[in-house]
Amino acid sequence: MSQSGATVAQDAIQAYNDLKLNKKYKFIIYKLSDDYKEIVVEEASDNKDWEAFREKLINATAKSKSGAVGKGPRYAIYDFEYNLASGDGVRNKLTFIYWSPDDAGIQPKMIYASSKEALKRSLTGIAAELQANDQDDIEWDSVIKTVSKGLAA
């Protein structure tokens, strides 16, 4: 259990294992349930279009306890595949993305931040982590450079 009290839903762990072991998905987007007590799967998809994935993060919303709806944080796992610039083949990296837009509400940002470790501890085999706070942080070129440590072609 995290400091915020949010637990990780069993199907959230199962979806990750399906992505990691069976390559069933390209990405999974996680969110906190409406009562902020559980981390659940918002979407698991085999769509390889980075821009479609990116738009889902950018357009994510969250409701504050007062009921106001605004931009919302999310967690995501993305299965990056890239060619090495050295010509030594293809690499895969499961990457944990913590999306917390600067213009999201303070309360959702705080709860997501305090629940992040609970999710990460539940998902074994994450190769890279990325925190993104604005749209530029999740541009393909900058993300693949970070994930590949500059080795992607």
Side-chain angles (χ1 to χ4, degrees):
M1 186 184 299
S2 72
Q3 286 183 301
S4 71
T7 58
V8 180
Q10 193 56 46
D11 69 328
I13 298 167
Q14 183 60 51
Y16 173 75
N17 288 331
D18 286 343
L19 181 154
K20 181 174 88 168
L21 303 173
N22 304 327
K23 300 292 183 193
K24 185 174 177 182
Y25 306 118
K26 184 66 175 174
F27 67 83
I28 303 167
I29 298 174
Y30 297 96
K31 70 174 196 160
L32 282 164
S33 58
D34 290 340
D35 62 4
Y36 290 110
K37 297 215 183 307
E38 191 172 42
I39 298 169
V40 298
V41 173
E42 180 173 54
E43 181 177 349
S45 175
D46 61 358
N47 184 347
K48 291 177 171 45
D49 182 356
W50 172 259
E51 286 303 314
F53 166 75
R54 187 174 172 271
E55 286 297 315
K56 290 175 190 302
L57 291 182
I58 291 168
N59 294 320
T61 60
K63 193 185 293 187
S64 68
K65 288 195 175 167
S66 67
V69 175
K71 293 198 176 206
R74 288 295 185 272
Y75 313 112
I77 297 291
Y78 197 92
D79 185 4
F80 282 96
E81 185 175 293
Y82 58 91
N83 292 306
L84 291 171
S86 63
D88 289 335
V90 176
R91 296 290 185 269
N92 278 74
K93 280 208 177 161
L94 294 179
T95 302
F96 181 89
I97 299 170
Y98 173 45
W99 169 247
S100 184
D102 290 331
D103 51 356
I106 294 206
Q107 183 186 28
K109 284 171 63 166
M110 287 174 49
I111 297 170
Y112 270 81
S114 65
S115 300
K116 179 177 86 163
E117 289 305 316
L119 179 59
K120 281 179 48 188
R121 277 194 308 274
S122 300
L123 309 178
T124 55
I126 295 171
E129 181 177 346
L130 180 74
Q131 178 164 340
N133 300 100
D134 67 39
Q135 294 182 27
D136 292 344
D137 294 342
I138 50 176
E139 288 287 344
W140 175 258
D141 292 341
S142 64
V143 171
I144 201 66
K145 188 179 290 182
T146 300
V147 169
S148 71
K149 296 185 171 81
L151 299 176

